[in-house]
Amino acid sequence: MEGLVFFVGVIGNIISVLMFLSPGKTFVRILKNKSTEEFESLPYICTLLNSCLWTYYGIIKPGSYLVATVNGFGVIVEIVYVVLFLLFAPPQKRARTAILVGILDVGLLGAALSVTYLMMEGGLRVDAIGLISSGLNIIMYAAPLSAMKNVVTKKSVEYMPFLLSFFLFLNGGIWTIYAVLVQDWFLGVPNSIGFMLGSLQLVLYAIYRNPKTSKDDFPPDSTDKSQKQPLLPHTSNC
């Protein structure tokens, strides 16, 4: 059984690394255009917070080093993404990003680590961090629902990156299997939700990846620029 757990965990690490790197195309676009356009920083700020918490969880829970290693990698990657937002976002969005980083990735993270470290011990500390991490994961998995709604409304998947949806599907599935094997429901519940949402997003891609438009869809004075307006709302959930 230990060999199977290790094997599934290693596969999970590989898939998670690919998932962390999957927005790379988006950030190449940001670097090329020197602008974050209508992309939002909040998902990456929340993922940074989540990765920090899961890294801590993997460190303090015996036998969970595979959880710690992959999320430690995620912390590094998400820091790079957030820094790029701070460099290339418009002034107003840059200020908002900095405020959110201070509140979530410094204030909330610092409070969670301090309280659990100073006031809790052993299994209670593990359970508290696991519960916080799991709850945040579930909330984060709900965030793409607004994007999915816009895909259906606009009949376009431009602002819902395919690779992110694909690796959400794979990542949720493999870590659900891992959680069942080690009987860790803090890992199992949010990843099973991620697996279901990833599956739904792939279905939407199959339907809307080649949207059909006609000249009647646009007013006579429409331009190429107007056809590239953002499809996602300016807010998302953490």
Side-chain angles (χ1 to χ4, degrees):
M1 178 63 75
E2 290 184 3
L4 178 61
V5 169
F6 179 76
F7 175 76
V8 173
V10 169
I11 298 299
N13 268 245
I14 295 172
I15 293 174
S16 293
V17 166
L18 293 175
M19 189 181 73
F20 282 126
L21 295 176
S22 63
K25 185 177 180 181
T26 295
F27 286 92
V28 169
R29 173 174 169 174
I30 289 173
L31 284 169
K32 181 179 179 181
N33 297 332
K34 298 189 183 304
S35 171
T36 58
E37 302 176 30
E38 296 299 327
F39 294 106
E40 290 290 339
S41 62
L42 186 54
Y44 305 99
I45 294 171
C46 291
T47 303
L48 175 57
L49 171 61
N50 199 47
S51 296
C52 289
L53 289 170
W54 280 119
T55 300
Y56 183 47
Y57 177 83
I59 291 172
I60 64 176
K61 182 175 181 179
S64 296
Y65 59 91
L66 289 174
V67 176
T69 53
V70 70
N71 282 284
F73 175 82
V75 169
I76 297 172
V77 172
E78 298 303 325
I79 287 175
V80 172
Y81 292 159
V82 171
V83 167
L84 289 176
F85 266 97
L86 291 172
L87 290 175
F88 296 111
Q92 185 176 359
K93 188 175 290 188
R94 182 183 303 139
R96 179 171 175 265
T97 297
I99 292 171
L100 288 172
V101 169
I103 293 173
L104 298 177
D105 295 333
V106 178
L108 185 57
L109 177 62
L113 297 183
S114 298
V115 170
T116 55
Y117 182 78
L118 297 174
M119 302 179 65
M120 301 178 186
E121 295 181 356
L124 180 60
R125 181 187 299 165
V126 172
D127 290 345
I129 291 296
L131 184 61
I132 295 171
S133 303
S134 181
L136 179 59
N137 247 24
I138 292 172
I139 295 172
M140 287 176 61
Y141 280 141
L145 293 177
S146 61
M148 293 162 66
K149 177 183 177 182
N150 278 276
V151 168
V152 175
T153 302
K154 303 295 184 179
K155 295 180 171 54
S156 172
V157 294
E158 180 182 1
Y159 283 89
M160 190 172 75
F162 170 77
L163 286 178
L164 195 57
S165 299
F166 179 65
F167 286 116
L168 176 63
F169 166 78
L170 291 180
N171 191 69
I174 195 68
W175 283 109
T176 298
I177 295 172
Y178 178 87
V180 171
L181 291 174
V182 299
Q183 298 184 356
D184 188 333
W185 308 118
F186 291 128
L187 283 173
V189 172
N191 281 291
S192 62
I193 294 173
F195 173 74
M196 290 185 288
L197 288 176
S199 301
L200 183 56
Q201 288 180 20
L202 292 179
V203 170
L204 290 179
Y205 260 97
I207 297 173
Y208 296 115
R209 62 179 177 175
N210 294 313
K212 295 181 180 179
T213 58
S214 65
K215 294 181 180 179
D216 295 336
D217 292 332
F218 303 97
D221 60 344
S222 65
T223 63
D224 290 341
K225 182 178 180 180
S226 68
Q227 296 177 32
K228 296 179 181 178
Q229 293 301 311
L231 302 180
L232 295 188
H234 287 254
T235 60
S236 61
N237 298 316
C238 174

